[in-house]
């Protein structure tokens, strides 16, 4: 039982990283029905940018700078990759454009920081804490807390600020929001900026417990996309639940079966959800009248 609880604790930390990235997918899909398939590269660039700043600013002063960097990066992706495709009503243009930008960002990172994985210094002690026999790294606790606080901050922004309410209105009905005087194009840009910002923040959260490099975001983003589908692309609660399910399933499978099969449960769950409930566990089916 102690080993089981240890695996669950580790899975929760991993799952919250998936949820934080999937939350970014949910933000852009809600406003524009598009996704940034370079989300993993936003996470990677946030981690590498933070690694560059840490020796000069320290970890805590580096965080707001990484948030600003991620915010600006999201605006660039929307302006170069998404807006032209949406403007000409291309159904697949934004997919290829965001994938292309992701590849460009990865190549840029390899030329600036190299191909080797780098060690990101931890801001917290690396000695594990013990709770009822379960050993947890302080940084794992920070990952869970940081991801939850980040999603809560975005939710409060949407509920309390004028721009946040514009985001909610656009996600509910983009045509009606435009008729009410909301600049929906700026709202979509804002959603992409916040999405990339959350990914960059997730990057500097996970970097101290893993290696940092140009390839670190690819697998995380793919699994986060699976989490978004499982939980529901329009549900914030869904991405949290989906992330926890996938994270715990991976750690349990890796220990009790084989590390070579740890990715299988998530894929099986994804296929099952798509077959039974395509909108996700917490998604809402919408009937369109034509």
């Amino acid at each position: 039982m102690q080993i089981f609880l240890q695996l669950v604790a580790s899975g929760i930390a991993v799952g919250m990283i998936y949820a934080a990235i999937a939350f970014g997918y949910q933000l852009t899909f809600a406003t524009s029905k598009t996704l940034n398939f370079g989300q993993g590269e936003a996470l990677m660039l946030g981690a590498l940018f933070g690694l560059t700043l840490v020796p000069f600013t320290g970890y805590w002063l580096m965080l707001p700078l990484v948030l600003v960097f991620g915010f600006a990066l999201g605006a660039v992706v929307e302006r170069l990759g998404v807006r032209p495709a949406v403007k000409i009503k291309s159904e697949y243009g934004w997919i290829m454009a965001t994938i292309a930008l992701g590849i460009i960002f990865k190549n840029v990172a390899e030329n600036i920081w190299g191909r080797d994985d780098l060690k990101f210094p931890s801001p917290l002690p690396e000695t594990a804490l013990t709770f009822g026999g379960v050993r947890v790294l302080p940084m794992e606790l920070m990952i869970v807390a940081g991801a939850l606080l980040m999603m809560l901050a975005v939710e409060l922004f949407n509920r309390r600020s004028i721009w946040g309410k514009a985001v909610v209105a656009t996600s509910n009905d983009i045509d009606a929001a435009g008729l009410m005087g909301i600049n929906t194009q700026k709202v979509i840009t804002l959603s992409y900026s916040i999405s990339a910002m959350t990914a960059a923040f997730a990057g500097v959260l996970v970097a101290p417990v893993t290696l940092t490099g140009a390839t670190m975001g690819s697998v995380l983003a793919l699994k986060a996309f699976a989490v978004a589908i499982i939980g529901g692309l329009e549900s914030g609660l869904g991405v949290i639940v989906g992330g926890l399910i996938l994270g715990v399933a991976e750690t349990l499978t890796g220990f009790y079966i084989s590390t070579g099969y740890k990715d299988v449960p998530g894929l099986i769950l994804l296929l099952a959800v798509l077959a039974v409930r395509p909108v996700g566990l917490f998604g809402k089916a919408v009937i369109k009248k034509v």
Side-chain angles (χ1 to χ4, degrees):
M1 179 58 68
Q2 184 174 337
I3 294 176
F4 176 80
L5 293 176
Q6 181 71 61
L7 294 170
V8 170
S10 299
I12 289 174
V14 174
M16 288 309 300
I17 287 297
Y18 296 159
I21 306 170
F23 188 69
Y25 287 127
Q26 188 255 332
L27 286 172
T28 59
F29 185 80
T31 56
S32 62
K33 298 300 182 286
T34 62
L35 300 168
N36 177 15
F37 285 101
Q39 190 80 339
E41 281 63 42
L43 177 144
M44 172 269 295
L45 286 175
L48 289 173
F49 182 68
L51 180 62
T52 303
L53 295 178
V54 160
F56 306 100
T57 63
Y59 186 87
W60 305 109
L61 290 178
M62 170 271 297
L63 287 177
L65 298 177
V66 168
L67 293 178
V68 173
F69 171 78
F71 191 90
L73 182 66
V76 170
V77 170
E78 190 279 332
R79 182 64 184 87
L80 297 180
V82 179
R83 189 181 302 182
V86 173
K87 188 175 182 179
I88 62 174
K89 300 185 184 302
S90 172
E91 294 185 5
Y92 307 106
W94 56 268
I95 297 176
M96 297 308 301
T98 54
I99 291 175
L101 285 173
I103 294 172
I104 292 172
F105 291 154
K106 181 180 177 182
N107 288 337
V108 169
E110 288 177 342
N111 282 282
I112 295 177
W113 288 281
R115 296 175 179 267
D116 297 330
D117 291 327
L118 305 171
K119 173 64 176 175
F120 198 109
S122 176
L124 300 177
E126 298 186 10
T127 303
L129 304 174
T130 303
F131 301 95
V134 177
R135 295 167 59 83
V136 181
L137 292 173
M139 200 62 210
E140 290 178 332
L141 295 176
M142 182 176 166
I143 287 173
V144 175
L148 288 174
L149 287 174
M150 179 270 295
M151 288 185 275
L152 177 61
V154 174
E155 186 65 23
L156 289 175
F157 170 79
N158 287 340
R159 292 179 179 273
R160 302 292 177 86
S161 69
I162 295 297
W163 276 103
K165 292 178 180 179
V167 170
V168 174
T170 303
S171 64
N172 288 333
D173 191 324
I174 188 171
D175 294 326
L179 292 173
M180 294 297 292
I182 295 174
N183 189 330
T184 56
Q185 185 58 68
K186 287 186 177 180
V187 170
I188 292 173
T189 303
L190 177 63
S191 69
Y192 264 82
S193 293
I194 297 176
S195 173
M197 183 177 68
T198 59
F201 181 66
V204 293
L205 277 181
V206 72
V209 297
T210 185
L211 293 175
T212 306
T215 60
M216 68 178 293
S218 302
V219 175
L220 289 173
L222 182 60
K223 293 182 178 181
F225 181 67
V227 164
I229 298 299
I230 292 169
L233 271 170
E234 297 184 357
S235 172
L237 176 62
V239 298
I240 295 176
V241 175
L244 294 177
I245 291 174
L246 183 57
V248 172
E250 283 186 353
T251 56
L252 292 178
T253 302
F255 181 82
Y256 288 112
I257 301 178
S258 170
T259 55
Y261 291 101
K262 71 174 186 176
D263 295 330
V264 173
L267 296 175
I268 293 176
L269 182 58
L270 175 62
L271 293 173
V273 170
L274 288 175
V276 178
R277 188 173 172 79
V279 295
L281 297 177
F282 292 83
K284 295 181 180 179
V286 177
I287 300 175
K288 293 184 178 180
K289 295 181 180 180
V290 294

